[in-house]
Every structure is written in structure tokens, then in C-alpha cells.
Amino acid sequence: MTKSETIVVIGAGVIGLSTALLIQENLGSQQSVLLVARDFPWDSSINYASPWAGAHYRPVPGSSPQALREANQARRTYQHLKEIALTSPAAGIQLVPGVEHLEKPPAEYLDTQSVNNVYSHLPDFQYLSKNELPAGVKWGVKYGTYVINSPVYCAYMLRKFVLKGGSTHKYSLVNIKEAFTLADNVKTVVNCSGTGFADPKSFIIRGQTCLVRNPVSSTITRQNGDGSWSFCIPRPLDGGTVIGGSKQPHDWDPNPSPEIRAQLLTKAAKWFPFTPESGSQFDVIGDIVGRRPAREGGLRIEVETIENGKNIVHAYGAGGRGFELSRGVAEDATALMLDKGLLSVQAKAAL
């Protein structure tokens, strides 16, 4: 009789949850999935980045291998978000207009091919004419996109995983090899830990945003004349509006900065579509500080074979684009597992 095998997925962030769900769909009859994480969607930790995210789907043009790879992952993720938004309203995903106004557009935004690579699949995409651009803005587009209530979406995926038979274990791993001891007959561990384990290329990017009550019907991204970026993202299901954003690589300060909050709100106040009763003031709920798990060179997605024929499937290092790339990363990691024979779907199909 074939001994049952457990596949361990590390990490319950948006990429870990997305990957665990897709692996679950491709399991063999003698395989199961255990999701191991230090933090789950009901937890609140600065090191658990996903629930703190805005989050919205926003394309990023570029021509480097990393940019092209992420554009492909993003496109597939967009299609997945579309399907969920249509079938599961409780997941916290909503289609809204997306608007971008750039005062000092980088070269990649002026390259038609780079822009088409990442924007052309979006509904109602079009460049804004000079008459439609606010004062000082040199480049602008609008399109249909998705905003995500990040804690709701993470909870939705976890609930779906458990209802489909997945198991969970709350545990703080010190060494990735510990994961092989957390269940019987573990041959494959999937590393969606965010920053990996002692990966010298990994680093954190501190992000601070502000959650406000002011309503807005679209997600707006603004590049300011000094090169900094501002944005507003409405969270579906009455989750407020997120005002951002800041990026501070290698900054480990966990405390919200009043100065950064003031900068975020002052910049956003110049373009935010306030309702008349607001008095052009933000109604602040609170500050959000999180650590985005980034990696030099982008995501690590590969299979590493260690002793005794055991395998680690790495899928981490998305930085601030976890939600935008999540389904594409999950598909790439699962495809590697299928290619290496780590998922025995044929055995399941034979039942």
C-alpha cells in the first residue's frame, strides 16, 4: 500500500495561500497539503505583510527580464482576480476605474511597446489627452482594474483551503529543514516565506500608509514632480480608503511616523476627489506600517533538491507586488512541481 505523502507549504501570505490552493487542485490521491505559518489572516504582525497591503492591480512597464517575467505573472493574476470578482463577491475584490497621472514619467512609460505589454489586456484602457490631464501632469491613462480588501481576501483563501481538506499548523520555523519534520512522509516543502531563510539577496522594504474614511470610486496613482509616488485605493466591503505610499528599503522601524503621515496626506490632498461635506480634509482611521519582503533580482522560483531526494520549491521575494503577481507565481511554482513529478495528478485522475 502506498504511503500517504504530505506536501508542506510555508507561509500564509497572499502568495503562500494562492500556491497552497493551486497545489491542492493538482494533488495525487495519496497526497495532502499542510500549510505552516507563523502568522495567519487573523493575526496582526508587522512582519506579516499581506493584510497590510492596499491593495490594487497596477501595471508596471519595463523591458528587463525581471519586468517581463512579472508582467506575464501579473496578466495571469488579473484574469484570476476577474474570475473571483464575478463568482465570489465575499472575497473582497471589486472592479473599479484606475487612473494614473505622472508629472515626470520615466522612460519606460514613454515607450509604446512597454506600455502595451502591461496595459493592453485591461478593459477600457486609453491614454488621457492633454485636455484631460490635471495641471503639471505630463502622462496619464485610465483603465478598468481591481482593488482588493487584503485581509478579507486572505481570510477567504484560507477558508477555501480548509474547506477543501487542507490542514494548517501555526509554527515559527527557524530553519527550513524543520518543515520536513512537521508531518509524516514529507518529501516536498514549498517555500512561500516572503524573505526566504537567510537568503543574502532578500531584504525588507518598509511601507507606511494611512487608512481614512473618505470614500473614492476609483484607484488613483500620482507621480509627483519630485519623483515620489502617491496613491489612493478604496477597499471593497466598506474597508475604507488607503492613502500611500512610502518605500524605505532596509528600514526596520516598526513605529508609524507622524512626519510620513503628514507627507502622505499633504501630497494626496492636492489631487484627492474630496466630497463636499469633507471640507477637503481626510478623516483618519489609523496608520499602517508593514515590511514588504523584497529580493534583489526579483522573485526566486526554482526547485532545490537536498539530501535523501527531498525537494524545496522556492517562491518568495515579491516585494510590494504580492497581490498583483500572486496567481502567476502560484502557477509557475505548481508547473515546476508537475514538471519534476512532485505532484502525482495522474494517480488522482485514475480514481
Side-chain angles (χ1 to χ4, degrees):
M1 183 176 180
T2 304
K3 187 176 181 181
S4 179
E5 175 194 352
T6 301
I7 296 172
V8 173
V9 177
I10 301 172
V14 65
I15 288 180
L17 290 165
S18 299
T19 304
L21 279 170
L22 192 55
I23 290 172
Q24 196 176 49
E25 294 177 12
N26 290 277
L27 288 175
S29 61
Q30 296 298 315
Q31 293 179 311
S32 60
V33 185
L34 172 63
L35 183 64
V36 176
R38 179 195 61 222
D39 303 300
F40 282 92
W42 56 80
D43 291 313
S44 177
S45 166
I46 189 173
N47 296 310
Y48 181 37
S50 290
W52 302 114
H56 63 167
Y57 181 94
R58 178 182 170 268
V60 178
S63 57
S64 69
Q66 177 185 342
L68 294 174
R69 181 173 62 250
E70 290 185 359
N72 180 274
Q73 292 165 337
R75 186 184 293 260
R76 287 178 277 145
T77 301
Y78 183 91
Q79 184 61 36
H80 184 64
L81 295 175
K82 178 180 178 180
E83 293 170 3
I84 296 176
L86 291 172
T87 59
S88 303
I93 301 171
Q94 182 180 350
L95 180 68
V96 301
V99 179
E100 297 186 31
H101 293 149
L102 277 60
E103 294 187 26
K104 193 177 180 180
E108 56 267 25
Y109 286 87
L110 302 177
D111 181 83
T112 303
Q113 186 59 53
S114 291
V115 171
N116 287 340
N117 284 343
V118 296
Y119 287 93
S120 60
H121 65 288
L122 302 176
D124 303 318
F125 169 72
Q126 65 181 71
Y127 288 95
L128 298 176
S129 67
K130 290 184 178 180
N131 293 334
E132 296 175 293
L133 296 176
V137 172
K138 302 292 191 299
W139 185 95
V141 294
K142 62 180 180 180
Y143 47 83
T145 192
Y146 289 96
V147 290
I148 305 164
N149 188 319
S150 46
V152 171
Y153 182 48
C154 288
Y156 159 81
M157 286 195 289
L158 179 62
R159 183 170 64 250
K160 186 175 180 180
F161 173 76
V162 172
L163 288 174
K164 287 181 173 290
S167 301
T168 63
H169 181 35
K170 189 175 178 65
Y171 186 81
S172 296
L173 292 160
V174 176
N175 188 295
I176 195 169
K177 292 182 179 180
E178 285 184 272
F180 288 96
T181 70
L182 298 181
D184 292 332
N185 196 28
V186 179
K187 298 178 181 178
T188 303
V189 168
V190 185
N191 177 17
C192 301
S193 59
T195 55
F197 288 82
D199 183 342
K201 292 185 177 182
S202 291
F203 62 98
I204 60 100
I205 301 175
R206 182 186 184 275
Q208 180 171 327
T209 59
C210 193
L211 186 63
V212 301
R213 294 184 178 87
N214 304 69
V216 65
S217 58
S218 59
T219 178
I220 303 171
T221 301
R222 176 82 174 230
Q223 185 217 31
N224 305 299
D226 61 3
S228 63
W229 294 80
S230 302
F231 60 78
C232 70
I233 304 172
R235 277 186 167 179
L237 304 178
D238 298 319
T241 299
V242 175
I243 304 293
S246 66
K247 293 183 179 181
Q248 298 163 289
H250 308 286
D251 188 329
W252 291 89
D253 188 351
N255 303 300
S257 163
E259 292 79 15
I260 291 179
R261 180 210 273 199
Q263 291 171 10
L264 295 177
L265 298 185
T266 298
K267 289 179 179 179
K270 296 177 181 178
W271 49 260
F272 189 84
F274 289 105
T275 54
E277 63 272 16
S278 69
S280 298
Q281 298 293 316
F282 286 112
D283 184 0
V284 176
I285 298 173
D287 299 297
I288 299 172
V289 177
R291 292 170 178 157
R292 306 177 181 101
R295 185 174 181 272
E296 295 174 15
L299 279 146
R300 182 185 184 189
I301 304 178
E302 62 179 349
V303 177
E304 176 186 2
T305 300
I306 59 175
E307 67 271 9
N308 301 320
K310 295 180 178 179
N311 294 280
I312 300 172
V313 182
H314 297 287
Y316 66 87
R321 302 199 70 196
F323 281 85
E324 294 166 292
L325 306 180
S326 54
R327 177 67 178 195
V329 172
E331 289 179 354
D332 290 347
T334 303
L336 276 178
M337 295 176 71
L338 290 167
D339 182 62
K340 299 291 185 180
L342 306 181
L343 287 170
S344 50
V345 290
Q346 290 181 349
K348 187 173 184 179
L351 291 177

